[in-house]
């Protein structure tokens, strides 16, 4: 569909204003929100990702594309939330300490809110203690950690250890995800749940909250 291609192409060029307008147009035309997200925004971001990997584009281009992605995604957020119901649980989410990537984390947050969960967004570069505080002070039932770097994914194990040290490990579930994270890694560090994408993360969080 050409409007989705237009979103993808303009996102790759970093044209945030145009992306925002096109996303609004796609919404007004009644295209499913999930399709706009996956075939427009995510498709463009994944092409930029490949080009970045192959040194065809560099950090500045990626940054403006990420900004365009976030501006388009912000329009979809209330629509995903509208599809949800009253809060079915409370979670905190953050990109781990040392890691500034937040596009995937924001998507997971968006999907979770769309499922009716209350999400405390701790941002990026989040030290383990901040997650522990969110559980203790805000009653979060799940700690959600995102990491995009092989050099930062190890911080997830620190989060598990911090929960044990704080005596709250049996009261909270720990979910992990992000491009370098795997099911095996999740088991190895003693976390509770790994999912490969934002939508599955939201489904899993709803289940875990319901069971807690
Ligand atoms: Co960075 N970067 N980056 N980067 N960047 C990657 C990750 C990289 C793979 C690129 C590459 O070299 N091929 C590479 C990591 C290599 C590695 O560790 N093996 C890399 C690097 C090296 C770096 C720097 C070190 C570069 C440098 O400075 N030399 C630097 C690190 C800065 C830091 O964090 N301290 C850096 C910086 C940046 C930018 C700032 C320029 C920018 C981030 C902008 C931002 O986030 N606001 C950026 C970007 C955009 C990328 C790529 C191109 C795209 C990442 C992305 O947003 N993908 C990426 C290359 C690539 O992926 N091909 C790359 C889209 C996003 C939707 O996917 O976050 O994986 P993702 O989320 C997915 C799933 O993983 C899942 O759901 C989402 C989809 O449904 N998911 C979860 C995510 N979190 C989850 C949590 C869950 C469950 C599922 O449960 C809790």
């Amino acid at each position: 569909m050409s409007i989705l291609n237009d979103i993808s192409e303009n996102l790759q060029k970093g044209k945030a204003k145009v992306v925002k307008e096109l996303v609004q147009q796609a919404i007004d035309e009644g295209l499913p929100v999930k399709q706009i997200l996956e075939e427009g925004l995510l498709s463009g971001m994944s092409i930029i990702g490949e080009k970045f990997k192959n040194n065809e584009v560099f950090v500045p281009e990626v940054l403006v594309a990420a900004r365009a992605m976030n501006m388009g995604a912000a329009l979809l957020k209330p629509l995903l939330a509208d599809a949800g119901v009253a809060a079915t649980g409370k979670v905190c989410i953050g990109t781990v300490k040392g890691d500034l990537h937040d596009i995937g984390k924001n998507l997971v947050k968006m999907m979770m809110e769309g499922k009716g969960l209350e999400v405390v967004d701790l941002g990026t570069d989040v030290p383990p203690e901040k997650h522990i505080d969110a559980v203790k002070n805000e009653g979060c039932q799940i700690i959600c950690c995102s990491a995009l770097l092989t050099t930062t994914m190890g911080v997830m194990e620190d989060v598990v250890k911090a929960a044990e040290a704080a005596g709250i490990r049996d009261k909270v579930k720990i979910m992990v995800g992000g491009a370098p994270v795997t099911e095996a890694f999740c088991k190895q560090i003693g976390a509770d749940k790994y999912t490969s994408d934002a939508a599955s993360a939201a489904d899993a969080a709803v289940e875990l909250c319901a069971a807690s």
Side-chain angles (χ1 to χ4, degrees):
M1 199 171 290
S2 81
I3 191 164
L4 297 175
N5 288 339
D6 288 350
I7 292 172
S8 169
E9 277 170 21
N10 280 286
L11 183 145
Q12 291 168 55
K13 292 177 191 152
K15 295 191 173 170
K17 196 164 164 263
V18 180
V19 168
K20 199 177 163 191
E21 285 164 5
L22 286 169
V23 168
Q24 188 58 57
Q25 190 187 326
I27 293 168
D28 294 342
E29 286 175 10
L31 287 181
V33 183
K34 195 165 174 275
Q35 193 177 10
I36 303 171
L37 180 66
E38 287 176 359
E39 294 175 32
L41 297 174
L42 284 181
S43 136
M45 202 63 217
S46 118
I47 293 169
I48 275 289
E50 275 307 301
K51 288 188 174 171
F52 187 51
K53 198 159 103 189
N54 299 329
N55 291 323
E56 292 168 42
V57 298
F58 300 96
V59 171
E61 288 97 323
V62 176
L63 273 179
V64 288
R67 185 167 161 267
M69 161 94 197
N70 282 333
M71 279 181 76
L75 289 176
L76 300 180
K77 184 179 163 181
L79 301 176
L80 287 162
D82 281 352
V85 283
T88 48
K90 190 167 181 181
V91 313
C92 58
I93 189 165
T95 308
V96 296
K97 190 169 170 52
D99 200 325
L100 301 175
H101 296 86
D102 68 355
I103 297 170
K105 186 265 296 171
N106 291 342
L107 277 175
V108 174
K109 177 189 170 192
M110 227 195 295
M111 293 287 180
M112 288 182 170
E113 289 178 337
K115 289 273 176 185
L117 294 168
E118 189 178 346
V119 183
V120 178
D121 187 353
L122 302 174
T124 58
D125 193 18
V126 178
E129 313 82 65
K130 252 184 142 178
H131 280 293
I132 305 307
D133 289 347
V135 174
K136 284 183 174 170
N137 303 333
E138 305 212 38
C140 295
Q141 295 153 276
I142 308 178
I143 291 174
C144 299
C145 300
S146 179
L148 262 286
L149 299 171
T150 46
T151 48
T152 58
M153 60 196 275
V155 176
M156 291 173 167
E157 186 168 12
D158 299 339
V159 173
V160 176
K161 286 181 180 157
E164 284 165 4
I168 58 164
R169 185 65 187 95
D170 57 339
K171 296 184 187 69
V172 69
K173 297 291 179 195
I174 300 176
M175 288 180 56
V176 293
V181 181
T182 60
E183 179 78 51
F185 178 76
C186 170
K187 285 206 172 80
Q188 181 197 316
I189 64 170
D192 297 299
K193 185 77 187 167
Y194 159 78
T195 54
S196 63
D197 63 84
S200 319
D203 289 340
V206 168
E207 275 179 30
L208 288 173
C209 281
S212 77

